[in-house]
Each structure stands twice: as structure tokens, then as C-alpha cells.
Amino acid sequence: MKNVVAPRIAALHGYVPGEQPSDAERVIKLNTNENPYPPSPRVATAVADAASRLALYPAPLADPLREAAAARYGVDPEQVLVGNGSDELLAICLRACACDGGSVAYPVPTYSLYATLASIEGARAIEVPMEPGADLPEALLMSGADVIFLCSPNSPYGTPIRLNEIARAAERAPGLVVADEAYVDFGGESALELLVDHPNLLVLRSFSKSFSLAGLRLGLAFASAALIAELAKVKDSYNVSRLAIAGGVAALNDYEWMTGSVQKVARTRDRVIETLRARGYRIEDSRANFFWLDCGDDGGDVVSRRLRDRGILVRFFDTPVLRSGVRVTVGTDEDMDAFLGAMLD
Amino acid sequence: MKNVVAPRIAALHGYVPGEQPSDAERVIKLNTNENPYPPSPRVATAVADAASRLALYPAPLADPLREAAAARYGVDPEQVLVGNGSDELLAICLRACACDGGSVAYPVPTYSLYATLASIEGARAIEVPMEPGADLPEALLMSGADVIFLCSPNSPYGTPIRLNEIARAAERAPGLVVADEAYVDFGGESALELLVDHPNLLVLRSFSKSFSLAGLRLGLAFASAALIAELAKVKDSYNVSRLAIAGGVAALNDYEWMTGSVQKVARTRDRVIETLRARGYRIEDSRANFFWLDCGDDGGDVVSRRLRDRGILVRFFDTPVLRSGVRVTVGTDEDMDAFLGAMLD
């Protein structure tokens, strides 16, 4: 057979998403940071309405959602780029700013997709170890990378990066600084307010977590209008469907639904962490919809398998730094009581 | 401001989609090859049903749609890759096979996105002029390109590339050969049957045209399982939403709805072409849902503006070869009578 695939791609290991059981399988799903509560009912209504106009292409820049996001977050519509999930927007940042042998830097551990996206783009990945809650490492600020990814709150620990640290990164970095705020609604501080002073800063948001819309695939990038116009050049021409645009607008217009859902998750999170701490577990404070559980001598692999046997999925990452524990998404109180029962009995 | 965007991207002109007027504007839209008839009503039902499960991520490889497509088209599910529109699948082909300074070749004129995608990927574009309906040019077969795009039926003429020509390209090319069959349901012959003998061939389909689902963003790639597995590495992890998966399955399961719609469009197309020929226009036979109209001394720009003034959008391409005419999408009989009235009075 002809080798039609580039050698670099043939050698690449693709991203491995967390297990997605079929909809028929009954499990307690605490492995991919989904929201256990449903999205605003207005989303389904808006989607059903938009389903009557599917014969026509969507607006290439998803104008109705761009406008709704601008109004909600206090920026101009031209400062918003809508993506097919924030994953697409991360890839777009690399395509525009770290192509042709560029480089990308990020503290580790963090969202494991960053490394995969760097491999796909052929960008050099500069991974700088960082303790949860620490200041940004000097090696990161000095990296000279074309793109710096800062996940805040960060996965898998749930710890935020302070705003003055993000501002410092934007000031010192010669390239693009991306504040990936997929989890910020659960208790982080947003870097959106820094955009006005930092034209090389981009803030990313996702509808997958706080808005309970992982299945819709929708993300937002906020930056200067000039930067957004450049990034838009490298996206697919019609990257967001009519259904996603309509659903996203409806979700933003029912913002209180989201904040209510987020408050419930945060309360459950804090209760579960306290319970585990009382039983001797050391757990970082989390500002996200998950927390990191160090499993001690058992290690994360054994614990995640034991939980799997009881119908509970958590996330195990088989890397030197992370194989000692698991990342646990915060579900409903009932889900988490089952989790605590399985962990503590 | 820091120059965070790569110089090659800053210099790039993004793809210019055909005009997409707001849904409120009443025009006869013959400019972006949408289907004038609605999709199967089963799509809206399936979408509404899937909207109740949006809190969870979709299947990363869109398994339900993969399986439905495999059953419909007589291949294995592992031979199918589902994309966020066939545009995403075109980009994926370049990312996997023409990255790091690779090359892509295609006959011109053709789908203008190919050139944009090559620019985004930094691939060298080898454009080989070809007359409508001609054999593939020797320069194309000899190009040695990493990827060859063959749009069949081709835009903007509507002329197909014969299957033995596609097979010849797959035999002689050292790289990937993509048969882009976005319009094949309107009367072309599919290269799907060639897959078994040509592991470097990939066949692309779109739901945007024949299935009346341009607003849903959905495409399919068919190839050997080994090639599909490589391409899947460079797609976004969750590239297709739950709504698109459900809608696509419903559309495939109501295949007769699509063929009925396609037959109506083809009948209207042939009638309009005959009418125009009787008035002296020279028009190629089209196997697509559009045709090419040479506008003679008036040129395409003047004609498209004149039609625009009467509320009819057609597509004008401002290139040396194409500025003499316009591409006209086939609408309903009523749409086309309005078009004929505007052209011939």
C-alpha cells in the first residue's frame, strides 16, 4: 500500500478521550467533566425551531451567537470567534500562530489535548512543570513560545491561575497567551477584563461544562478584533451549525439557569472534598467541576478499576506525575454519595 | 501590538463564502448550491429527541452515524469518517497527508476552497487547467502531489469526471486521491466501488446538497480502514455534535426522501438548461444541482448584479477564467421561472 500519510502523522498517537459509554449503559459518569444537570430547557426549544431551516447554510461567523456573546460578556461582536467546541478554537490558535515549526508552551500537568494539538500542528511543545496554585514558572515566561496555553482553573487539580499572573504572562510573552477558561464559571476569576490592555491575550470559553452542552459542541474565543479576524481565516468556512448557533444563543439568554446549576455543583464539590479530607485524603481546593484525588499506595489505576466495577467512571491518566491518583468530576449529590460509599467503605 | 500571527497566515486571504443573507431577507437564493426542498421531516424529529441528551459528549467517532452510513453505502463502519461538513474532511486530508510543506494538485476551475485550504496548511497548490468533461490532464497525473482533489461532478460546470479517469489517477498518483462527490447524488457516478482496489482513494460525501442539510454541517469520508484510522488522528476529538449525528442517521434512513428531492431538482435543471439553450446560450450538461451560464459580452459581474437587483442571488467568481459567467444553483420550478424571466425579458 502506498504511504499516503505524512510520516509525522503516522507516528502520532491521537488524543484518547475519556470513556464515552453508549447512552444505553447505566453508569455514574464522573470521568469527562460533564455537568450532571440538564441545560436550560430553552435550548431544546431553540434547537427544534432552528431545525426547520436546515436546508440553508449557517452564518459563516455565527453572527447571532457572536452578538449574544458580545452583549453578555461586554465586548464588541468583532471580538468574538465562535468555534465547534473550544477544542476547535485551541487548534485554530496553533494553526494561526504556531504553524511552520512554531512552538507552544504550557505548565504541566494540564489538559492533555494541548500536547496532541501541538503534535498535529507539528509545533514544538515546551512543557514546564508547575505545582498546583504556584506562580507561573520563569521557564514558561522565558520560553519565547509562539503560543502559551494557561488552563485556569487548571485540569486536573481545579486550581486557578491568578489574574496578575496571566497579565504578567501576556506582558512578557512575545506570542499569543491563551487563558483557557473552560471551567471558570465554577468559581474562577475571568481574564476577560485583561483583554483591553493585552492585545496578545485570548480568552477561551466552553459551553460543555457550566452550560451543560458538551453534546452541542460550542466554544467562544474572546480577543482583540484584529486578532479574531486573523484567527477566523483559518477556521472551516461554516464551522458552527444552525442548531449550535440557536442553542448557544438560548443558553446565554438563560444565564441564571447556568449559574444555578453551577452553584449546585460547587456546593456538592465542597461537601465531598470536606468529607474526603475528614477521612485523611489530601485534596487541593478546586474552583472547577472536578477535583484531584491522590490515591496513595493504591494508585489511580487500581482505584479507577475498582470504581468501574461498581459502575462509577472516573478519569485515570497514565503519566508519571498523575498515575498516583484520579480526577473525579462532580456529579449530583446522589452520584457523589455513591462515589463516597464506594471509596470509603 | 505584538505580531502573534504567523506571517504566512497574516498574508493569507481567507475563503469568501457566497453571500448568506439574513433569514429575514426575502431573496431567491441560487448562489451556494443549497437544495430548495426541505430535508426529511424525520431529521427534525431526531434532532429534537437528541436535544434531550446534550449534557453528555457525543461519541468521538460518531458511531451511530458511522454504522448507518456503512449499512447504506455497503462498506465497513471502520471505513467511514464523519466530519463537521465535508469541508472539515478536506482540511483533514491536507493535515494528514500534505503537512510540513507538502503539495496538493487539482484541475481548475474547481471548488475554490481547495486553494484556501492549501494556503492554510502551507501546502504548495498545483493547479492544472482542465476543460469541462475532458480527460484528466497528464500534468495532474504526473504532479507527484501528496494529495489530488477531484471534484466530481465538478463545480462550477457540473460535469463529472469518469470513473476510469479517477481509477487511473489513483493508480498513477503516489499520494492520496480524493473524489469529492458533494454533488454526485444529482446524477454522477460514484467512485465508492473503486475503494476496494485503491487504498489511496478517498470518497467524500456531503449532507449539504442532496440531503438538504447545509445548516447541519455534516460530511462523510469513505476509504480503507487503515487510512480512515490515520485521518481520525488529526480531527478534533469530538468533531460532530449529538444533534448532527442524530440528524444524519435520520436522513440516511429516509433515503427515498433524498432521491425524490434530487429527481425534482434534476428535472428542473434540465428544463431550464433546455430553455436557455433554445435562446442561444451554450451550456454544458450538468450532473449537479447547478449549471454554468456563460454571459457573453455582459460578463458575470454585470449579470449577477442585475439579478441581485431583482432579488435573485447567483454566484460570480472574479477570476480570469470565470468572470465571463455565473454559476446558477437550481431552485424550485417557481424560483427558476423567476430566474428565466429576469434573464430572458
Side-chain angles (χ1 to χ4, degrees):
Chain A
M1 176 182 162
K2 297 175 188 182
N3 287 321
V4 302
V5 174
R8 181 167 66 72
I9 301 299
L12 187 148
H13 295 280
Y15 178 73
V16 181
E19 181 182 352
Q20 301 293 358
S22 77
D23 289 347
E25 201 179 343
R26 293 181 69 86
V27 294
I28 295 177
K29 198 163 176 315
L30 310 178
N31 68 331
T32 53
N33 296 345
E34 288 135 333
N35 194 317
Y37 300 106
S40 161
R42 293 194 205 169
V43 172
T45 306
V47 161
D49 183 51
S52 69
R53 293 184 301 278
L54 288 176
L56 297 180
Y57 280 98
L61 287 165
D63 297 329
L65 180 50
R66 221 184 183 196
E67 284 153 24
R72 170 60 60 192
Y73 295 104
V75 298
D76 294 332
E78 292 71 28
Q79 291 186 264
V80 182
L81 186 64
V82 182
N84 182 40
S86 65
D87 287 354
E88 185 197 27
L89 296 167
L90 288 165
I92 283 172
C93 289
L94 294 190
R95 250 171 249 153
C97 303
C99 55
D100 304 333
S103 57
V104 51
Y106 43 88
V108 286
T110 190
Y111 185 22
S112 62
L113 182 70
Y114 299 159
T116 304
L117 292 176
S119 303
I120 292 171
E121 189 58 41
R124 187 163 57 97
I126 304 167
E127 306 196 330
V128 183
M130 185 174 104
E131 293 296 315
D135 286 350
L136 292 177
E138 190 64 16
L140 184 76
L141 301 175
M142 296 281 289
S143 65
D146 296 302
V147 176
I148 292 180
F149 286 140
L150 300 175
C151 187
S152 178
N154 192 25
S155 173
Y157 300 126
T159 45
I161 298 170
R162 284 179 294 282
L163 285 196
N164 59 353
E165 288 290 285
I166 292 173
R168 200 156 68 95
E171 275 151 27
R172 291 190 51 190
L176 178 68
V177 172
V178 177
D180 181 350
E181 299 189 344
Y183 302 105
V184 79
D185 289 326
F186 295 97
E189 275 185 307
S190 175
L192 277 172
E193 64 181 67
L194 302 178
L195 287 180
V196 63
D197 290 324
H198 299 282
N200 63 327
L201 179 65
L202 181 140
V203 175
L204 263 191
R205 295 292 185 89
S206 170
F207 283 80
S208 297
K209 322 295 184 180
S210 54
F211 288 100
S212 308
L213 290 170
L216 187 61
R217 313 312 304 128
L218 204 51
L220 300 173
F222 298 90
S224 70
L227 181 53
I228 291 295
E230 292 297 317
L231 298 177
K233 290 180 184 175
V234 304
K235 75 173 187 68
D236 282 334
S237 343
Y238 300 99
N239 60 329
V240 179
S241 77
R242 283 179 172 263
L243 304 179
I245 294 171
V249 170
L252 287 180
N253 287 342
D254 197 2
Y255 202 75
E256 295 66 31
W257 180 280
M258 180 278 280
T259 54
S261 157
V262 154
Q263 283 163 12
K264 282 190 283 183
V265 169
R267 268 198 303 270
T268 304
R269 173 193 69 204
D270 294 343
R271 172 177 74 82
V272 173
I273 289 177
E274 282 313 310
T275 305
L276 288 164
R277 281 176 178 161
R279 296 289 287 262
Y281 286 93
R282 284 188 53 202
I283 301 178
E284 295 286 340
D285 280 336
S286 169
R287 299 295 186 90
N289 67 336
F290 55 83
F291 57 89
W292 178 252
L293 187 68
D294 190 288
C295 302
D297 293 340
D298 284 349
D301 198 16
V302 166
V303 169
S304 65
R305 284 169 199 268
R306 196 187 300 151
L307 289 168
R308 184 70 175 90
D309 289 342
R310 301 179 66 158
I312 300 171
L313 303 187
V314 297
R315 190 73 176 271
F316 170 66
F317 299 96
D318 196 3
T319 70
V321 172
L322 296 180
R323 69 170 62 106
S324 65
V326 293
R327 191 190 64 189
V328 183
T329 304
V330 178
T332 62
D333 276 312
E334 191 182 3
D335 292 340
M336 300 317 284
D337 287 342
F339 165 79
L340 287 171
M343 282 301 296
L344 301 178
D345 74 17
Chain B
M1 176 181 163
K2 297 175 187 181
N3 286 322
V4 302
V5 174
R8 181 168 65 72
I9 302 299
L12 188 147
H13 295 280
Y15 179 73
V16 181
E19 180 181 354
Q20 301 293 357
S22 78
D23 289 347
E25 201 179 343
R26 294 182 68 86
V27 293
I28 296 177
K29 198 166 176 313
L30 310 179
N31 67 331
T32 54
N33 296 345
E34 288 135 331
N35 194 316
Y37 301 106
S40 161
R42 293 194 205 171
V43 171
T45 306
V47 161
D49 183 51
S52 67
R53 291 183 302 278
L54 288 177
L56 297 179
Y57 280 98
L61 287 165
D63 298 329
L65 181 50
R66 223 184 181 195
E67 285 153 24
R72 170 60 58 195
Y73 294 104
V75 298
D76 294 332
E78 292 70 29
Q79 291 185 266
V80 183
L81 185 63
V82 183
N84 183 41
S86 64
D87 286 354
E88 185 197 29
L89 296 166
L90 288 165
I92 283 172
C93 289
L94 294 191
R95 252 172 247 154
C97 303
C99 56
D100 304 333
S103 57
V104 51
Y106 42 87
V108 286
T110 190
Y111 184 24
S112 61
L113 182 69
Y114 298 159
T116 304
L117 292 176
S119 303
I120 292 172
E121 189 58 41
R124 187 164 58 99
I126 304 167
E127 306 195 329
V128 183
M130 185 173 106
E131 293 296 315
D135 287 350
L136 292 177
E138 190 64 15
L140 184 76
L141 301 174
M142 295 283 288
S143 66
D146 297 301
V147 176
I148 293 179
F149 287 140
L150 300 175
C151 188
S152 177
N154 191 26
S155 172
Y157 300 125
T159 45
I161 298 171
R162 284 178 293 281
L163 285 195
N164 60 353
E165 288 291 285
I166 292 173
R168 200 156 70 95
E171 275 151 28
R172 291 190 52 188
L176 177 68
V177 173
V178 177
D180 181 350
E181 298 188 344
Y183 303 105
V184 78
D185 289 325
F186 294 97
E189 273 184 309
S190 175
L192 277 172
E193 64 180 67
L194 302 179
L195 287 180
V196 65
D197 290 324
H198 300 282
N200 63 328
L201 179 66
L202 182 140
V203 175
L204 263 192
R205 294 292 185 91
S206 170
F207 283 80
S208 297
K209 321 296 183 181
S210 54
F211 287 100
S212 308
L213 290 170
L216 187 61
R217 312 312 303 129
L218 204 52
L220 299 172
F222 299 90
S224 71
L227 180 54
I228 291 296
E230 293 298 317
L231 298 177
K233 290 180 183 175
V234 304
K235 74 173 187 68
D236 282 335
S237 340
Y238 301 100
N239 61 328
V240 179
S241 77
R242 282 179 172 264
L243 304 179
I245 293 171
V249 170
L252 287 180
N253 287 342
D254 197 1
Y255 202 75
E256 295 65 31
W257 180 281
M258 180 277 281
T259 53
S261 156
V262 154
Q263 282 162 13
K264 281 191 283 185
V265 169
R267 266 198 303 271
T268 304
R269 173 193 68 204
D270 295 343
R271 173 177 74 83
V272 172
I273 290 178
E274 282 313 308
T275 305
L276 288 164
R277 282 175 176 161
R279 296 289 286 261
Y281 286 94
R282 284 189 50 204
I283 302 178
E284 295 285 339
D285 280 335
S286 168
R287 299 297 187 91
N289 68 335
F290 55 82
F291 58 89
W292 178 252
L293 186 68
D294 191 288
C295 302
D297 293 340
D298 283 351
D301 198 17
V302 167
V303 169
S304 65
R305 284 168 199 268
R306 196 187 301 150
L307 289 167
R308 183 74 177 88
D309 289 342
R310 300 179 67 157
I312 300 171
L313 303 188
V314 297
R315 190 73 176 271
F316 170 66
F317 300 96
D318 195 5
T319 71
V321 173
L322 297 181
R323 68 170 61 105
S324 64
V326 294
R327 191 190 65 189
V328 183
T329 303
V330 178
T332 62
D333 276 313
E334 192 183 359
D335 292 340
M336 299 318 285
D337 287 342
F339 164 78
L340 288 172
M343 282 301 296
L344 301 178
D345 76 14

